Amino acid sequence: MARRAFVALAGVVVALAVGALVMQSGLWVDIVGVGGYETGTVTVTDSDNATPCTAPPNRTAVSACDGSRTLATVDVRIAANYSQRYTGLSDTESLGPDEGMLFVHGEEDVQTYVMRDMDFALDIIYIDANRTITTIHHAPPPPEGERYSERYSGRAKYVLEVNRGWANRTGVGVGDTVELPDGVE
């Protein structure tokens, strides 16, 4: 009887250890999957008084605008659930100059991102619940042979990732206002 109890307890301990490893390593995302990404249009303006700009017709895009003048357009996938946010762009080999990802969190808080398994550099743009850009990081990929980079934090409900240099090239900066896609809360 004592032997059965010991074997059962050992089985539970092994199962918990394996579960902890799967959760910590991110393998659970491979098992569960991330699901399909929605798409939408995001617009960035540099003034509360500016006339909002729009994406070109029939495009799913992020637009940066100076008043009503469009500075840039970036097609985005929306990472709206935990597994999509966890995976992020780590399964992406590269982004075109007009591609990115918008991460949507349940509430505004200090969000911390890492460049997990990334092969290319990004601008990480933090946007608060009032849809104002609070922080921009220009993040390199992790050092050769490492899975993670340093941590990048900012107060945000939404985080936009685009190719590194996009914010500088377009003139997007802290304090700019962001218009989110329909249906994104």
Side-chain angles (χ1 to χ4, degrees):
M1 184 68 125
R3 182 174 166 89
R4 278 190 182 161
F6 176 76
V7 169
L9 180 60
V12 168
V13 169
V14 168
L16 289 173
V18 168
L21 278 172
V22 167
M23 290 300 287
Q24 191 167 14
S25 69
L27 289 174
W28 65 273
V29 172
D30 292 333
I31 295 166
V32 174
V34 297
Y37 291 98
E38 297 291 325
T39 58
T41 301
V42 174
T43 303
V44 181
T45 58
D46 70 350
S47 168
D48 290 348
N49 299 323
T51 304
C53 58
T54 58
N58 302 318
R59 294 248 0 230
T60 300
V62 173
S63 297
C65 305
D66 178 10
S68 60
R69 183 174 64 91
T70 299
L71 300 175
T73 301
V74 179
D75 293 322
V76 296
R77 291 175 281 165
I78 301 170
N81 64 49
Y82 183 80
S83 59
Q84 290 173 336
R85 288 190 303 267
Y86 182 87
T87 301
L89 291 168
S90 63
D91 287 342
T92 305
E93 290 183 20
S94 66
L95 286 174
D98 298 322
E99 295 178 333
M101 182 170 274
L102 178 67
F103 297 81
V104 180
H105 295 274
E107 60 187 49
E108 181 179 319
D109 203 350
V110 174
Q111 307 296 340
T112 301
Y113 278 54
V114 295
M115 300 284 284
R116 183 182 302 106
D117 296 326
M118 293 296 297
D119 294 327
F120 55 95
L122 294 172
D123 280 353
I124 305 173
I125 302 171
Y126 294 81
I127 305 160
D128 69 14
N130 293 325
R131 299 174 179 162
T132 301
I133 296 175
T134 62
T135 307
I136 299 174
H137 291 284
H138 308 286
E144 184 69 33
E146 293 186 27
R147 187 167 180 222
Y148 295 94
S149 68
E150 65 180 272
R151 296 176 180 273
Y152 300 96
S153 296
R155 185 149 199 85
K157 180 173 179 179
Y158 313 97
V159 178
L160 175 64
E161 290 185 345
V162 291
N163 278 315
R164 186 172 177 173
W166 181 85
N168 290 339
R169 180 173 47 85
T170 61
V172 169
V174 171
D176 289 344
T177 304
V178 177
E179 207 175 301
L180 297 171
D182 291 338
V184 172
E185 296 300 320

